[in-house]
Amino acid sequence: MAPLKSFVKYDGQSQFPLENLPWGIFSTAKDPSPRAGLALGDSIIDLKQLSSHPTILDSDESPLSAAQAQHLFTQPTLNAYIALERSTQSSFRSFVQRLFSEGDDRLATDDEWKAKILVDAKEATLHLPISVGDYTDFCASKEHTDNTGRILFGEGNVLEDNWFSLPIGYHGRSSSIVVSGTDVKRPKGISVPPNSNQPVYGPCKVLDYELELAFVVGGPSTKLGETVDLKDASMHVFGAVLMNDWSARDIQKWEMKPLGPFLGKNFATSISPWIVEIEALEPFKTAAPEQVPRPLPHLDEAGKGTNYDIKLFAEIRATSPTKDGAAEAEEEEGWTLTTNTNAKYLYWTMSQMLTHHTSGGCNINAGDLLASGTISAPYDLPDPTACLLEKTRGGRKPFTLDGEGEVKRTFIEDGDEVRIRGLCSRPELGYLVGFGEVKGKVVA
């Protein structure tokens, strides 16, 4: 099948072709009200403006009336839209694809409305796309879990039997989820310094990133006490974002005896501003790893579990002061690749995570986030580890940043930036589906 063609021109290597159309919330200097938009090439489709068109949305072809669209797309979050039924969302996605296709003249030949509806992405400020009611972080990567266990507890450590029975997770802090570009303040907490057994309170000294994928819950809310069957789980997922689960390893290490992550994880979690709909990821489905032993029946996909072939990258850049003290370096300069992995390696699938989450009767709502946990790759691949704890073997093996001089790192220093990117590609399709990026700078 040939790639879709749009009258909006964009490069063949664009992350945001007509096949993608990821969702976000943006504003401009001309109109500072946050509102819904779809990324298309180097433009943003302003859905507030589209809903004000006198005829387009009131045709029989549109699944939403102009009044409905105006209500949904002028809100500062996408929650109301993603709470709609999947069938309505799918129909609206197809409607927009047709509307912006080459050969459809409803907008293509109307320069006045094109200028209103198509916003230059460079002129837009991107905002947190959803109001996150609840956030759960899983630990779905076998490679990451096994590797960190050996680093922290010795090479003889193996995964506990229960890890193979369920996708383990913890309830995170939704109030500290921030959008890409937000600075991250180095947290304070209680830790135990090396060669000591006395806890102290102070700034984190072992700050890390964790490369993750997070699924955005969509559709109508479930009821308390209701469970979601494995075969229906994907219908409760609207889309996915990139995530950096910033981690204060020294604080986390002390507080996880005997409970779980708390202050080591709740100071900031960054997500990308664009939500890629699950429908856009369908062509990139791939078989999930074999699960041995097979899980209990309510989580058993009988060897038919699927992941998504999403290439994932993490990079670090040390911000160097120039003579006048300002930050230097162009946007694409100075980055050191530290992680090269793929979402296809996740042991537990998106459907299993959601089904397990609801298996005790926990209700879910549109805008909830279910994160994968750190996604590391098999160890024989280059740069497979998705956090610095793994990459540096707990800080014992520093690495050198690219560029001039011998700048070494074990963990993240003040002034460092971390960038995570995600991309789907299959040569026979002739197009890419990208997530953009999630980026953050650590400040003292």
Side-chain angles (χ1 to χ4, degrees), residues 21-250:
L21 294 179
W23 289 79
I25 293 290
F26 77 103
S27 62
T28 58
K30 186 176 180 180
D31 182 356
S33 59
R35 56 201 187 273
L38 296 166
L40 178 59
D42 297 322
S43 301
I44 297 174
I45 300 171
D46 188 335
L47 294 174
K48 174 184 174 181
Q49 287 293 336
L50 179 62
S51 63
S52 68
H53 191 281
T55 60
I56 286 177
L57 285 177
D58 277 328
S59 67
D60 291 339
E61 185 189 359
S62 173
L64 299 174
S65 68
Q68 287 177 307
Q70 191 74 12
H71 168 70
L72 292 169
F73 301 144
T74 56
Q75 298 191 31
T77 72
L78 295 168
N79 290 57
Y81 178 78
I82 65 178
L84 299 177
E85 295 283 355
R86 171 69 67 79
S87 58
T88 303
Q89 296 164 355
S90 181
S91 295
F92 187 75
R93 171 181 165 81
S94 298
F95 168 74
V96 174
Q97 286 178 324
R98 290 192 297 273
L99 182 62
F100 285 88
S101 290
E102 193 175 79
D104 192 306
D105 293 335
R106 285 174 289 179
L107 284 177
T109 58
D110 191 333
D111 292 339
E112 179 184 355
W113 275 99
K114 269 197 305 184
K116 289 180 180 180
I117 292 171
L118 291 171
V119 175
D120 186 340
K122 293 178 182 177
E123 297 177 0
T125 298
L126 300 177
H127 303 277
L128 196 67
I130 50 176
S131 175
V132 183
D134 277 294
Y135 157 49
T136 300
D137 197 9
F138 286 90
C139 189
S141 166
K142 180 180 176 183
E143 287 80 9
H144 168 70
T145 312
D146 180 62
N147 208 19
T148 53
R150 294 176 187 277
I151 291 168
L152 296 174
F153 306 116
E155 289 299 325
N157 180 69
V158 294
L159 291 171
E160 299 286 347
D161 290 345
N162 71 330
W163 194 90
F164 296 95
S165 299
L166 55 94
I168 194 167
Y170 71 92
H171 191 214
R173 182 71 182 175
S174 61
S175 66
S176 52
I177 293 175
V178 296
V179 74
S180 174
T182 304
D183 285 348
V184 173
K185 186 177 291 187
R186 182 175 293 272
K188 294 179 180 179
I190 298 174
S191 62
V192 175
N195 303 315
S196 172
N197 58 5
Q198 293 299 314
V200 297
Y201 173 76
C204 160
K205 292 182 171 55
V206 188
L207 188 59
D208 203 352
Y209 70 84
E210 294 194 56
L211 183 158
E212 304 191 18
L213 195 68
F215 300 101
V216 180
V217 173
S221 299
T222 61
K223 296 178 181 178
L224 191 64
E226 184 177 314
T227 60
V228 174
D229 193 272
L230 195 59
K231 64 178 173 49
D232 302 321
S234 63
M235 296 302 293
H236 292 268
V237 177
F238 174 73
V241 294
L242 303 175
M243 175 178 282
N244 183 349
D245 180 29
W246 301 91
S247 297
R249 297 298 191 189
D250 47 351

Side-chain angles (χ1 to χ4, degrees), residues 18 58 80 88 102 143 178 222 226 252 259 309 321 328 341 353 368 432 441:
L18 200 52
D58 277 328
T88 303
E102 193 175 79
E143 287 80 9
V178 296
T222 61
E226 184 177 314
Q252 179 188 0
L259 294 176
D309 186 359
E328 68 172 11
T341 186
M353 287 183 253
D368 289 353
L432 306 175
K441 178 181 178 180

Side-chain angles (χ1 to χ4, degrees), residues 365-376:
N365 302 299
D368 289 353
L369 276 184
L370 305 183
S372 63
T374 310
I375 308 175
S376 293

